[in-house]
Amino acid sequence: MNTTGHAVGRGLRLIPFRGLRYVPERVGSLAAVTSPPYDVVVRPDGLHHLESSDPHNIVRLILPQAGTATERNRQAADTLNRWLAEGVLAPDPVPALYVYEQRTGDTLQRGVIGALALSPASEGVVLPHEDVMADVVADRADLMRAAGAHLEPLLLSYAGDGGRNGATAVIERVVERLPLLTTTTEDGVGHRLWAVTDPTERAEIQSDLSHRQALIADGHHRWATYLRLQEEETRPGPWDFGLVLLVDTARYPLQVRAIHRLLHRLPVSRALSALDGRFRVRSVEGPLPRALDVLAEASAEGNAFLLAGDGRFRLIDRPDDDLLSRTVRSDRPDVWRGLDATVLHSALLDGLWEIPDAPEHIAYIHDASAAVEQAERHGATAVLMHPVREDVVRDLARQGVTMPRKSTSFGPKPATGLVLRSLDIG
C-alpha cells in the first residue's frame, strides 16, 4: 500500500442497487420513521421514544424487542416482510447509486450510498481502525440473515480530490436537481436523497472510486458482519457486497467525537478508591460543558478522563508509569500505547477496576449528558473521554493497527431508515 490514500492493485468497487424506501403516504412522516444507528440509540429511553414516534419506525427492524434473540430476529424479518406486503416500504424501480446530504447549522456533509464489494483488511482497500466483539458480530449476523437485508449503511471516508472531478463532482451536480426525499429529523438535521441512475454519471463515480482506499469511520461491527455472512456463502451473490455511505473528506471533513463508558456495577466511590494513588484525582466544577473543557485541556498534556455519577465531576490524569508498563501491551506502536482508550481498557478496566468488557458491565454511550444522567440515576460511573484526532486514527489504520473498540465516533452519521438494501430484490 502506498501513502497517498490509494490501495495498490485495486480499489473500491461500488455498484447500484434497488433501494428499499418508505412510501411517504403510508407513514406519519419520514422524520418519524428514522433512527440513529442501532449502537447510538440510548436504551431504554431512546428506544421507547423512537418506537412511540411512529408504528413503522425503523428501530423495530434494527432493535426488535422480544424475549429471546431468535424471537427478536424472527420478529424483525416478519415486520420487514409485512411492511413490504402492505406497501409501507417499496423497492425503487431501477438500480441506483444514491447521493445523500445532511445539513445542520454550518455543518454540511454529502456522500454517495451504494453496495460496496467486500474485502478483508489484508487487501488494504477498506481499513478498519477498531477492534470488534465476536458476540456483537454474531448478533448482527443473525439479524441480517433473518431479515435478508442490510438495514443501515456504514459510514466510510476516503481522501478524494475535493470535488474537481470524479464522484464528488457528480454529487455536486446531482444536488442541483429535485431530490427523492427531503426531511428534517427532530435533532434539527436536514436530510436529502437523490437517485443516480444515469449510466455515464454512475461510471464516473465508479471509475473515481476504483483507485481509492476507504477508512471505516462508523460501523466496524456491521462491516465484520458483512464479511462473516459472505464467508457463509458458497458462490458469488448479493452477500459479496455491503451497504455503505462513502464521504470524500477532502471536500466534507468528518467530525470526530468520543464515545463514553457507563460502568453499570461500579459506583463512583469504589472507582475512586480502587485508583490507589495510581492516577492524580482532582474535583472539577460543573456544569458538564465546563467540565469537558477542563478534560480537553488535560488531554492535551496526556491521558485524562472525567468520572461522573454521584453529582460531581472528578478529573483523573497522570497515570503511574509503573502501572502503564505493567498493563499496556508493549508490542504495539507508541502512539497506540498512549491512546486514552488503550489506557482506559488496559490500566483501568482490566488492571485496577477488573471490569469485563461485556454488555452487563459496560455500556458505550455517544452523548456525554446521557452517560452522566444514566450514571446518576443508577448509582453507576460514567467515564467521559476526549476525542482522538482523525489523522491518528488513519495513520494507525494504514499500519494495520486497530484501536480498542468504540474509541471514536465519526459523524455526522447517516440516518437509519432513508434507504435499505434487500438481498433478494435487484
Side-chain angles (χ1 to χ4, degrees):
M1 186 188 309
N2 61 28
T3 59
T4 64
H6 300 167
V8 173
R10 57 171 294 194
L12 303 167
R13 181 185 171 210
L14 192 71
I15 67 169
F17 66 101
R18 291 179 63 192
L20 296 183
R21 296 190 296 111
Y22 280 99
V23 177
E25 296 77 15
R26 299 302 307 272
V27 298
S29 72
L30 290 176
V33 295
T34 63
S35 165
Y38 81 96
D39 58 340
V40 180
V41 176
V42 178
R43 287 167 272 189
D45 298 355
L47 177 64
H48 294 158
H49 174 71
L50 291 165
E51 287 180 328
S52 62
S53 65
D54 190 286
H56 301 107
N57 189 282
I58 194 68
V59 78
R60 297 180 186 276
L61 299 184
I62 62 172
L63 290 173
Q65 300 301 295
T68 67
T70 300
E71 291 171 343
R72 289 193 294 272
N73 297 329
R74 183 184 304 117
Q75 178 176 296
D78 291 345
T79 300
L80 176 58
N81 290 331
R82 185 175 71 253
W83 288 356
L84 286 167
E86 295 173 350
V88 174
L89 287 167
D92 282 332
V94 297
L97 298 176
Y98 295 87
V99 168
Y100 175 51
E101 175 190 277
Q102 297 181 83
R103 185 191 296 267
T104 177
D106 295 331
T107 300
L108 173 65
Q109 178 178 284
R110 291 171 176 154
V112 60
I113 294 174
L116 184 67
L118 304 182
S119 60
S122 59
E123 293 187 6
V125 178
V126 177
L127 301 178
H129 70 267
E130 289 184 356
D131 295 329
V132 297
M133 293 189 70
D135 61 331
V136 178
V137 174
D139 177 73
R140 289 290 105 183
D142 290 341
L143 175 62
M144 287 188 200
R145 193 186 300 108
H150 294 152
L151 303 174
E152 45 188 338
L154 282 65
L155 175 61
L156 272 60
S157 71
Y158 69 97
D161 61 11
R164 290 186 296 275
N165 50 54
T168 303
V170 174
I171 289 171
E172 299 304 317
R173 295 198 303 268
V174 168
V175 297
E176 298 300 320
R177 304 169 190 165
L178 188 68
L180 288 175
L181 65 84
T182 300
T183 190
T184 300
T185 44
E186 65 178 5
D187 56 4
V189 178
H191 306 265
R192 296 198 294 172
L193 190 76
W194 295 260
V196 182
T197 57
D198 179 84
T200 301
E201 291 183 327
R202 289 205 316 232
E204 187 175 349
I205 291 172
Q206 291 164 328
S207 175
D208 179 27
L209 295 176
S210 67
H211 61 280
R212 304 292 185 191
Q213 172 195 68
L215 175 74
I216 300 176
D218 184 71
H220 283 80
H221 285 91
R222 281 166 284 165
W223 182 258
T225 300
Y226 291 168
L227 294 173
R228 173 170 176 162
L229 292 172
Q230 181 191 37
E231 291 175 356
E232 296 177 358
E233 295 299 307
T234 58
R235 55 187 176 181
W239 294 102
D240 293 323
F241 297 82
L243 182 62
V244 304
L245 165 66
L246 279 160
V247 174
D248 176 3
T249 52
R251 178 67 178 86
Y252 298 105
L254 296 179
Q255 301 169 4
V256 187
R257 295 187 173 92
I259 302 177
H260 312 290
R261 275 63 171 163
L262 177 66
L263 310 181
H264 296 298
R265 302 178 181 180
L266 183 70
V268 174
S269 59
R270 189 141 47 93
L272 292 170
S273 63
L275 297 179
D276 193 28
R278 302 287 188 168
F279 282 75
R280 183 176 68 168
V281 180
R282 289 182 289 161
S283 293
V284 175
E285 293 294 324
L288 178 59
R290 180 187 300 172
L292 290 173
D293 287 341
V294 174
L295 173 62
E297 294 173 3
S299 294
E301 304 297 326
N303 301 119
F305 310 93
L306 200 63
L307 304 188
D310 62 352
R312 301 171 60 188
F313 298 105
R314 276 91 164 187
L315 180 77
I316 64 170
D317 63 356
R318 299 186 182 179
D320 180 78
D321 288 340
D322 290 338
L323 173 67
L324 297 182
S325 63
R326 177 169 54 85
T327 59
V328 177
R329 292 176 56 170
S330 60
D331 60 345
R332 295 292 181 94
D334 288 344
V335 171
W336 183 91
R337 289 173 52 81
L339 293 170
D340 285 341
T342 298
V343 172
L344 172 61
H345 282 261
S346 300
L348 284 168
L349 295 177
D350 293 344
L352 297 179
W353 292 335
E354 299 181 340
I355 296 177
D357 192 357
E360 60 268 26
H361 292 277
I362 305 176
Y364 293 83
I365 299 180
H366 291 70
D367 183 74
S369 60
V372 173
E373 188 274 332
Q374 290 210 30
E376 292 180 346
R377 183 193 302 180
H378 300 292
T381 294
V383 182
L384 307 183
M385 304 179 68
H386 187 68
V388 64
R389 300 193 318 274
E390 181 179 0
D391 62 310
V392 172
V393 176
R394 194 175 294 275
D395 287 346
L396 284 172
R398 285 175 177 161
Q399 296 177 55
V401 178
T402 54
M403 301 163 64
R405 75 185 191 96
K406 303 296 184 183
S407 294
T408 60
S409 175
F410 283 88
K413 304 178 191 301
T416 298
L418 297 181
V419 60
L420 292 64
R421 176 179 179 243
S422 170
L423 279 300
D424 301 318
I425 301 174

